[in-house]
Amino acid sequence: MAKKLQWKRSDKFAFGLWTVMNRGRDPFGPETRPPLSGIEAIRGLGERDVYGFEYHDNDLWPMDATPAKKRSIINEAKRAMKAAGILCTAATTNLFSHPVFKDGAFTSHDPRVRAYAVQKVMANIDVAAELGAEVYIYWGGREGAEVDIGKDPIEAMKRFRDAINFLCEYVMANGYKMVFSLEPKPNEPRSNIYLATAGHALAFIATLDHPEMVGVNPEYAHVKMAGLSPLHEYAQALEAGKLVDIHLNAQEPLRFDQDMSFAADNPKEALLVVKLLTDYGYAGTKAFDCHPYRTEAAPWDFVERNMRAYKLLEAKVEEVNADTRLCAMLEELTVADEGGWNQVLAAYTPKNADKLKVAKFNPEKLAQRTLLYEQIDLRLTELLLGAR
Ligand code: NOJ
Ligand code: MG
């Protein structure tokens, strides 16, 4: 393999433990792979030069573990991390598998369930801090509804907000170095999930007591399930300074949650996401959150394939950015600002408003300008397919 294409720890790739622990079960058939424990998952990822892992509390210890059992698993995880040279980069709570959360966790009607959910998160935040995780994810899988008349969405938002506010204070009170990250998804397992897209999450964050402590980790496939553009979701979060983590994978638009490997469906779209992250120096971890195909006997080809795909696209981004033909055409899209309009539009001042009020534009003439999008897109396709 060309040296450049071999991933290194410094690439900051991460995997959810649950991705390699996934056993291929789907709604129509049982597991096709043998079980893998959380500790084995940490070891296997570390052996493959993966920088970090993300975990749910119950990927590591079962919900009914005794305190002694839980402690021995955490200690073993720490030993495995040290031996394999892998970091814990993000943590999250399983607030969706157990039937107690069947109608939501933070948004449940039952205050006891909401309290139990917050307690479960607090307990895992302590472990996450011990393992060194600096990002704590909330994916509200069960926070939604099928029967909307039975759950007031305004009340649900209030409950969600109270939970996040409470937990922010908990992190601060304990002096943990940790930010929260909301992971949007439009549906599945609920008919409609609250905070369906990055846009919803960003608007919600602005209403929190400590918005500075909360960002988003849009998941590529979740965005496609909503029929939207992963590039635009990542870009908006990045521009807002809120992209604290990313979940990469692939998904045919508007279908059930397929969780395929990164770039499996649409390499051009994936390329533009890698280009965005590269060009704008995204510094967080690049976490893969997908599943090996059900036909795989073990998860390791899947692990390597995701990192290899990212590196291939990264190398392609370098080629795209250096392509003189493409650069020249892109350059032509920009227009010399002879009228000084950029400066006028950058800020409202009475002077700028006056200048704009009296300016004369000729829309017919402006509309005559041609844009080279067909040729630009063709050139990108040529580069992607390796044509000269
Ligand atoms: C499982 C979901 O499928 C995934 O997208 C999410 O990131 C994790 N849970 C975190 O809770
Ligand atoms: Mg995810």
Side-chain angles (χ1 to χ4, degrees):
M1 197 188 294
K3 220 170 161 197
K4 198 164 118 187
L5 296 177
Q6 180 60 45
W7 57 88
K8 298 184 283 303
R9 302 236 190 227
S10 55
D11 286 312
K12 291 180 112 178
F13 290 137
F15 282 81
L17 293 185
W18 62 91
T19 69
V20 287
M21 292 167 76
N22 176 279
R23 298 182 58 198
R25 189 163 55 112
D26 72 15
F28 302 95
E31 290 81 358
T32 58
R33 284 185 285 277
L36 190 75
S37 73
I39 304 294
E40 287 166 327
I42 294 173
R43 282 200 196 104
L45 291 169
E47 281 161 11
R48 284 163 183 84
D49 282 339
V50 178
Y51 173 79
F53 70 87
E54 304 186 345
Y55 77 97
H56 299 95
D57 47 359
N58 305 133
D59 296 340
L60 283 172
W61 61 89
M63 232 169 99
D64 58 359
T66 61
K69 178 78 189 156
K70 179 175 162 186
R71 178 38 52 194
S72 94
I73 292 173
I74 294 165
N75 290 344
E76 210 185 335
K78 283 161 76 177
R79 281 194 296 273
M81 285 166 63
K82 203 162 172 217
I86 186 169
L87 304 176
C88 173
T89 47
T92 184
T93 330
N94 187 326
L95 296 176
F96 44 89
S97 295
H98 193 281
V100 68
F101 301 124
K102 65 189 175 196
D103 193 28
F106 295 160
T107 62
S108 166
H109 283 303
D110 188 336
R112 294 165 304 177
V113 172
R114 297 202 300 277
Y116 175 59
V118 172
Q119 180 197 60
K120 197 169 187 288
V121 177
M122 283 161 59
N124 193 38
I125 283 179
D126 293 343
V127 179
E130 186 180 340
L131 297 182
E134 294 187 351
V135 174
Y136 202 93
I137 295 171
Y138 296 92
W139 171 66
R142 299 276 174 200
E143 314 291 7
E146 289 76 39
V147 182
D148 274 314
I149 196 169
K151 212 179 214 187
D152 180 345
I154 300 255
E155 194 54 37
M157 279 304 98
K158 287 186 179 150
R159 290 174 181 165
F160 213 136
R161 181 180 303 112
D162 286 347
I164 300 289
N165 283 341
F166 190 103
L167 290 161
C168 282
E169 296 288 348
Y170 181 74
V171 164
M172 287 190 292
N174 282 280
Y176 295 145
K177 186 170 175 255
M178 197 177 280
V179 292
F180 289 166
S181 183
L182 304 176
E183 179 175 338
K185 190 176 186 189
N187 57 277
E188 204 180 335
R190 303 308 297 264
S191 234
N192 285 292
I193 296 179
Y194 306 126
L195 305 183
T197 69
H200 292 79
L202 291 171
F204 175 74
I205 289 169
T207 71
L208 295 172
D209 288 348
H210 293 284
E212 73 288 354
M213 282 182 70
V214 186
V216 290
N217 62 302
E219 176 167 318
Y220 201 105
H222 296 174
V223 182
K224 302 267 311 236
M225 287 176 73
L228 299 173
S229 156
L231 174 70
H232 291 193
E233 294 254 319
Y234 288 131
Q236 189 167 356
L238 191 61
E239 203 270 338
K242 289 290 182 192
L243 194 63
V244 296
D245 189 11
I246 49 173
H247 280 180
L248 296 172
N249 51 5
Q251 166 81 31
E252 302 277 354
L254 303 174
R255 299 201 182 177
F256 68 94
D257 190 357
Q258 297 173 314
D259 268 332
M260 295 187 290
S261 286
F262 184 50
D265 66 328
N266 187 338
K268 195 203 275 182
E269 192 181 55
L271 173 88
L272 293 177
V273 165
V274 175
K275 181 165 155 51
L276 174 89
L277 300 175
T278 308
D279 291 352
Y280 286 92
Y282 166 74
T285 49
K286 288 156 267 194
F288 298 101
D289 186 3
C290 30
H291 298 155
Y293 293 129
R294 194 162 181 263
T295 41
E296 294 295 296
W300 307 118
D301 283 350
F302 151 87
V303 165
E304 298 194 353
R305 171 255 165 107
N306 273 284
M307 294 189 287
R308 168 102 171 130
Y310 194 99
K311 292 299 287 181
L312 282 165
L313 291 170
E314 202 176 51
K316 198 51 86 174
V317 166
E318 231 180 85
E319 213 184 304
V320 165
N321 284 348
D323 186 71
T324 44
R325 276 169 61 195
L326 183 62
C327 289
M329 288 191 283
L330 291 174
E331 189 62 37
E332 266 190 57
L333 293 176
T334 59
V335 176
D337 186 23
E338 281 158 10
W341 293 116
N342 285 334
Q343 195 235 320
V344 169
L345 295 172
Y348 173 87
T349 62
K351 207 169 144 221
N352 281 345
D354 286 346
K355 182 173 172 187
L356 196 47
K357 262 189 183 168
V358 296
K360 295 253 181 298
F361 295 101
N362 183 341
E364 300 309 320
K365 196 159 165 238
L366 292 178
Q368 279 165 18
R369 190 168 166 253
T370 51
L371 297 133
L372 298 176
Y373 286 132
E374 296 288 2
Q375 289 186 49
I376 287 171
D377 194 41
L378 173 64
R379 184 65 193 145
L380 184 61
T381 306
E382 284 175 352
L383 290 169
L384 197 59
L385 297 179
R388 288 285 111 203

